Amino acid sequence: MSDTAYHWQHVPHQHRGPHQHTGADDHIYSPKLHNGTFKSQGIATFLGAPYCPPDRNAIRAMGAKVCFIGVPWDQGQVVRAGTSQGAAGIREASTQYFPYMFEYDVDLLTFFRIVDCGDIPIVPGNNEKSHEYIYHYLTECLHGGAKVVLCGGDHSVPIPGARALSDFHKNGRIGYLHVDCHLDAAPDWAGNAFTNCSGPSRALDLPNCSAKNLVHMGSRNGLNPKDWHDFFVDNEVRLIPMQELVARGVVECTKEIFTRAWDGTDGVYFSWDTDSIDSSCMPGTTAPECFGLKGREIIQLARTAGTFGADIMEVSELCPKFDVSHISIKTAALMIMHYLGSRAKTLRDRGQQP
Amino acid sequence: MNPAKSYAHLFSPLGGEGGENYRAPGQLTFLRAPHVALDTEALKAHGARYAFVGVPFDEGNVGKPGSEDGPREFRIASQEYLSYWFEFGVDLNGLAVDCGDVPMPKVNPDSARERIYRAVTTVLKAGVTPIIVGGDRSISIQAARALSDHIGAGKKMGCLHFGAHLDMADSWAGEKLLSTCALARITELPNLPAANAAHIGARNSMNPKDYIDLAKARGIRFYPMFEIYERGIDAVTREAVGKVWGGTDAQYLSFNFNVMDASAAPGVTATEPGGLESREMVRVADIIGEQKTASLIDVTELAPVYDVSGTTSRLAVCTVLRLMAAMARARGELVDQGLRRSDLTAAE
């Protein structure tokens, strides 16, 4: 594959028709001629980013530093189905936003040369094979020199996701963050070790992820069987339940978890389950729970996370079919966008490139 | 007529012929207020302080439609409240009239805009404060222009706007009067000094770069949500109110309900996470209410189709009523503390 085959360029498809825009930065300003990508979709991509095949050479050739990739997989979980539409929901919600974020004075698209790699293929009824695809596609993105925004899909997705990161840093160490209403630390669920109930358990199985770099934050309520809690006690894994987050504040707790995850490691997997958010702000999730993060806490968490960064940031369990007022899909899009905006500002302030 | 009946509405219904269910009005109007024709002389004759005018206009939006159903739903939600507000010790009964909706021609936004302008002017000429419920945010352009023309060149007006977006596009796809251009047009009014304009609640990325650039170029003070996270809503609201009411002859108060957090207001055209919580909006109404009067109030971007439990319209109604109640208290219009329900029974 030649390098010239893939050239990063952001020109929405409408602008290539008979009524063209010409300015390179047109996409960060109010439209001059017509409504641009507002209400007029081309290929549905995250923030209108150009499509790039999930291929390491293509990603390198386009110079992409962030790959958005979806996983339409909801058969690795034990609750309600519907999260297979999550990535599509985020892409749809992103048409209501600009890539420019005034809070950070940054154009996300050009700063990171974001590409959308489409969705990872899955095999219905086969969690194992689907996880293998997830593993291989994420491996391509990482070897393509990009950070990954992974949109689930159910919360079994971090199992192959963290394994991909672990192998990518096989000569180093990785950290693993699990922000979730549920502890997800089952040794297995009815004999299956790879469901959405076992993210942290499988992360600790990885050869280069130690307990001191593994943290859980946001747990609450009664869908947390005793063995899940015992995992954190027995393995001395740091756990910040919701009560502690409320008492100390989301910014301080987020700083702590990222500091722990990055302590002596070469990469971090940041898994963010949408059910960590209060059910009032996130009705569109697999298992909505009260007493979760509120609107501004979500944004503060994303903003603080962006000051640390992660190799893979994953948003999971988004279920547009339960999102009657379309508030959850926009919130999920903003979890990613505030994270990226803050990441961009942090790097720029340090004089660094992504 | 039995004089006791003049204050029967302050109490729980007594039943019988005089005890109608407050949720079953004969005519669906804002807070069961009387309908008065949209006519300056008729409004003058009635002597109310506020005139409710619905503007079911949805042709200035650039994103999701749905706000043209806003006025209807707002009226329905207003049936859920009584006129007595115990926190303030005031009675809103008699303060407002309902002038109905401005009839909207479809597919003719220029004509619609002129009708909105004329409707607001008609109310202002009667010396009455319009409460305009949209409709999309672009109706604010016409409402503000009407107020500006009404007070004339020699007077100064202030503008306090709540919303998630700055709406500071000089033009959008060549159009100058869309909702995305609202604050850009309003801050061009000749008698609205930049020092007397304030915007509260900006967040997230439906604020393209030109919005920010123009707001800065014009010296418009905007208080983004990040600032409210740090300073709190009380301090920010007081500072903004000081700018808008300080040294001005007229004040325009504008609520785009996307200023609320998406969880508190799912029924708006553009939900935005990270916004105000309902208890903060209550503080906003209480603090603004200390000012006694406003010259023009509008509420925009309610989208009942997304408001599955009706909570958003109800919050919008509550905010407006609370503001009216706080202002009534500030003016000293208190209900006689000695009135009792037993007096009513005795009078029967």
Side-chain angles (χ1 to χ4, degrees):
Chain A
M1 205 171 289
S2 77
D3 279 7
T4 51
Y6 296 103
H7 167 63
W8 196 96
Q9 187 186 22
H10 176 65
V11 181
H13 81 291
Q14 297 90 344
H15 301 176
R16 301 186 193 190
H19 297 288
Q20 298 191 22
H21 281 203
T22 50
D25 289 326
D26 277 352
H27 60 287
I28 66 171
Y29 295 103
S30 298
K32 290 179 183 142
L33 191 61
H34 52 60
N35 217 11
T37 50
F38 263 80
K39 303 183 92 167
S40 302
Q41 292 188 24
I43 300 166
T45 62
F46 176 64
L47 277 177
Y51 171 74
C52 179
D55 170 282
R56 67 184 70 185
N57 296 318
I59 293 165
R60 279 201 185 280
M62 287 177 77
K65 294 302 169 190
V66 168
C67 293
F68 179 95
I69 192 162
V71 196
W73 181 240
D74 60 8
Q75 295 176 359
Q77 54 89 35
V78 303
V79 197
R80 306 190 292 184
T83 186
S84 54
Q85 304 307 308
I90 288 182
R91 290 191 181 102
E92 150 70 21
S94 76
T95 65
Q96 298 177 50
Y97 285 122
F98 280 78
Y100 175 77
M101 298 197 79
F102 80 93
E103 286 101 331
Y104 315 99
D105 190 23
V106 66
D107 167 11
L108 301 180
L109 273 183
T110 49
F111 187 86
F112 290 110
R113 291 172 166 259
I114 300 175
V115 294
D116 190 325
C117 293
D119 284 350
I120 295 171
I122 52 93
V123 182
N126 193 324
N127 199 39
E128 197 178 328
K129 274 190 185 169
S130 298
H131 280 191
E132 277 311 296
Y133 280 122
I134 296 168
Y135 171 85
H136 287 299
Y137 278 69
L138 292 182
T139 298
E140 284 302 305
C141 294
L142 292 168
H143 282 284
K147 307 294 188 212
V148 181
V149 172
L150 173 64
C151 181
D154 68 51
H155 218 177
S156 70
V157 159
I159 298 174
R163 185 156 59 85
L165 187 66
S166 168
D167 286 354
F168 181 70
H169 290 297
K170 59 179 181 289
N171 298 319
R173 320 245 356 126
I174 68 162
Y176 179 87
L177 295 176
H178 199 85
V179 178
D180 192 335
C181 170
H182 308 113
L183 294 163
D184 289 359
D188 64 87
W189 183 274
N192 190 331
F194 302 101
T195 69
N196 69 331
C197 305
S198 297
S201 332
R202 295 295 82 79
L204 193 59
D205 291 345
L206 297 169
N208 50 357
C209 180
S210 52
K212 79 179 178 74
N213 300 121
L214 205 166
V215 192
H216 186 291
M217 181 167 86
S219 45
R220 59 194 191 273
N221 303 347
L223 182 50
N224 287 298
K226 186 166 185 304
D227 49 310
W228 296 11
H229 189 254
D230 293 343
F231 169 88
F232 291 90
V233 176
D234 296 347
N235 293 298
E236 295 179 336
V237 173
R238 175 72 168 124
L239 167 62
I240 300 182
M242 197 63 198
Q243 288 102 326
E244 182 178 340
L245 187 150
V246 170
R248 292 174 58 207
V250 69
V251 172
E252 195 185 329
C253 290
T254 306
K255 283 180 182 166
E256 182 194 325
I257 66 171
F258 273 90
T259 302
R260 284 177 180 272
W262 276 112
D263 182 17
T265 57
D266 304 288
V268 165
Y269 188 98
F270 172 32
S271 176
W272 195 356
D273 190 325
T274 47
D275 68 27
S276 60
I277 295 162
D278 194 81
S279 46
S280 66
C281 300
M282 183 58 68
T285 187
T286 312
E289 293 280 358
C290 64
F291 188 43
L293 298 166
K294 297 191 290 184
R296 71 188 54 178
E297 289 170 332
I298 303 160
I299 289 173
Q300 302 269 50
L301 197 161
R303 182 188 180 191
T304 309
T307 63
F308 290 89
D311 292 45
I312 300 177
M313 185 236 193
E314 162 228 301
V315 171
S316 54
E317 302 282 6
L318 179 66
C319 289
K321 74 173 182 176
F322 302 118
D323 189 22
V324 286
S325 300
H326 305 181
I327 69 173
S328 308
I329 55 173
K330 287 189 83 171
T331 301
L334 281 171
M335 288 156 72
I336 298 166
M337 293 171 69
H338 273 282
Y339 165 77
L340 291 176
S342 169
R343 187 80 208 119
K345 181 177 188 303
T346 303
L347 293 169
R348 188 183 60 205
D349 289 352
R350 289 186 198 146
Q352 294 174 348
Q353 292 296 312
Chain B
M1 184 187 156
N2 184 337
K5 288 215 168 174
S6 66
Y7 58 88
H9 61 274
L10 296 174
F11 300 100
S12 309
L14 287 166
E17 284 300 305
E20 300 90 346
N21 186 338
Y22 72 107
R23 296 179 75 240
Q27 189 182 30
L28 192 62
T29 61
F30 170 61
L31 200 59
R32 299 170 297 283
H35 174 79
V36 172
L38 186 58
D39 174 87
T40 301
E41 293 311 314
L43 282 165
K44 270 186 188 164
H46 195 281
R49 179 177 284 278
Y50 300 101
F52 181 93
V53 181
V55 183
F57 178 72
D58 199 359
E59 291 165 59
N61 92 79
V62 307
K64 290 197 291 190
S67 65
E68 67 183 343
D69 295 333
R72 189 178 64 202
E73 206 64 24
F74 192 94
R75 279 194 186 89
I76 292 171
S78 77
Q79 311 306 314
E80 305 293 336
Y81 286 104
L82 299 170
S83 63
Y84 178 69
W85 282 70
F86 84 94
E87 290 121 312
F88 304 95
V90 301
D91 177 14
L92 305 182
N93 197 51
L95 281 184
V97 295
D98 189 328
C99 293
D101 288 352
V102 180
M104 285 287 115
K106 282 289 196 175
V107 206
N108 191 348
D110 289 341
S111 166
R113 289 179 191 121
E114 278 315 300
R115 291 182 194 200
I116 298 165
Y117 173 84
R118 283 204 306 271
V120 177
T121 302
T122 301
V123 177
L124 288 170
K125 279 187 174 163
V128 174
T129 295
I131 298 175
I132 307 296
V133 172
D136 70 59
R137 161 79 164 129
S138 71
I139 67 169
S140 297
I141 299 173
Q142 307 310 325
R145 183 164 66 91
L147 179 62
S148 170
D149 288 352
H150 174 70
I151 63 172
K155 299 275 180 68
K156 282 202 302 185
M157 65 182 273
C159 169
L160 177 54
H161 181 69
F162 291 84
H165 312 134
L166 286 173
D167 298 328
M168 283 294 276
D170 181 53
S171 67
W172 181 283
E175 300 293 316
K176 304 280 271 186
L177 299 173
L178 297 176
S179 55
T180 47
C181 310
L183 203 55
R185 290 296 84 74
I186 291 167
T187 52
E188 284 165 356
L189 293 169
N191 45 8
L192 172 57
N196 299 116
H199 183 286
I200 292 178
R203 60 191 185 276
N204 303 342
S205 76
M206 181 42 201
N207 285 294
K209 190 167 184 304
D210 51 308
Y211 282 21
I212 311 300
D213 295 343
L214 188 58
K216 286 181 178 164
R218 290 195 180 160
I220 308 301
R221 177 69 163 102
F222 60 96
Y223 301 86
M225 280 309 298
F226 279 7
E227 184 169 345
I228 293 162
Y229 300 167
E230 300 297 325
R231 297 177 59 196
I233 191 66
D234 281 33
V236 166
T237 307
R238 285 191 194 285
E239 187 179 309
V241 165
K243 289 174 72 66
V244 175
W245 268 259
T248 52
D249 305 291
Q251 300 84 26
Y252 171 38
L253 183 54
S254 180
F255 295 99
N256 181 334
F257 266 84
N258 67 20
V259 72
M260 303 305 301
D261 191 76
S263 63
V268 297
T269 47
T271 59
E272 290 290 0
L276 296 183
E277 293 172 8
S278 53
R279 68 181 57 174
E280 290 174 317
M281 185 47 96
V282 163
R283 288 298 301 156
V284 164
D286 291 359
I287 291 168
I288 297 174
E290 293 167 8
Q291 297 305 312
K292 298 183 184 167
T293 60
S295 314
L296 171 62
I297 298 167
D298 76 19
V299 171
T300 57
E301 300 287 355
L302 297 175
V305 67
Y306 301 110
D307 195 18
V308 285
S309 301
T311 52
T312 311
S313 329
R314 192 160 179 154
L315 173 76
V317 170
C318 180
T319 303
V320 170
L321 296 184
R322 207 177 168 90
L323 186 68
M324 289 166 65
M327 287 181 163
R329 180 177 67 177
R331 294 190 302 267
E333 297 167 6
L334 302 178
V335 167
D336 180 355
Q337 297 284 301
L339 292 178
R340 289 293 178 272
R341 190 168 181 250
S342 53
D343 300 335
L344 272 181
T345 322
E348 288 285 327

